Amino acid sequence: MSKNELIEKAIEIRERAYVPYSNFSVGAALLTKSGKIYTGCNIENAAYPVSLCAERVAIFKAISEGETEFVEMAVVADTERPVPPCGSCRQVMSEFFAGEMKVHLTNLHDNTMTVKVDELLPFSFQKTDMEK
């Protein structure tokens, strides 16, 4: 699958976002090693802390289906610059993605920035940090 095809999947799922409060729709598409694509859109709630970002929806869907190996992810929103993931999403990415995995950040104006997970959250908190 090409980067552009993955971005198209993210654009498509963005249309399903439930964003009555912010009106800020985000879509994400995650390619697994098995070749399957998991998509996610952001879902808001009147109690904001229980809302969920598109990136985490896609990641959690994949994990819940038994996927554990990931190839790349695309994230899209209607922003001026390529949309950056929030801090919570970056931490979840660092938990489940290899540091070298590519994440394509883009917008609806064809501005794309490809970064590695380690670049999104350097010095992230890891499982090994809890070991004594």
Side-chain angles (χ1 to χ4, degrees):
M1 163 156 293
S2 75
K3 172 179 80 172
N4 290 336
E5 290 171 314
L6 196 61
I7 289 170
E8 270 305 310
K9 294 288 186 190
I11 290 170
E12 288 172 16
I13 195 66
R14 181 184 164 274
E15 296 300 318
R16 294 188 186 172
Y18 177 75
V19 291
Y21 308 103
S22 72
N23 293 311
F24 185 73
S25 299
V26 180
L30 173 61
L31 177 63
T32 66
K33 188 174 181 181
S34 69
K36 189 162 182 184
I37 297 171
Y38 290 86
T39 58
C41 58
N42 53 326
I43 302 166
E44 295 178 346
N45 189 280
Y48 251 52
V50 297
S51 298
L52 199 57
C53 298
E55 299 93 310
R56 286 180 282 151
V57 170
I59 294 166
F60 294 161
K61 281 170 64 175
I63 296 293
S64 72
E65 294 295 320
E67 298 281 0
T68 58
E69 296 183 70
F70 305 102
V71 177
E72 61 187 321
M73 178 177 241
V75 184
V76 64
D78 189 9
T79 52
E80 289 297 316
R81 64 181 181 159
V83 65
C86 75
S88 295
C89 288
R90 292 173 194 223
Q91 179 60 44
V92 169
M93 288 175 181
S94 76
E95 175 89 11
F96 294 108
F97 298 165
E100 295 295 312
M101 190 182 113
K102 293 180 181 177
V103 181
H104 310 291
L105 309 174
T106 190
N107 60 20
L108 299 180
H109 314 290
D110 295 323
N111 297 323
T112 302
M113 170 187 244
T114 299
V115 297
K116 295 176 183 174
V117 171
D118 281 346
E119 294 172 317
L120 283 172
L121 188 60
F123 199 61
S124 64
F125 185 80
Q126 299 290 318
K127 292 180 237 182
T128 55
D129 293 323
M130 295 184 285
E131 296 172 359
K132 295 182 182 190

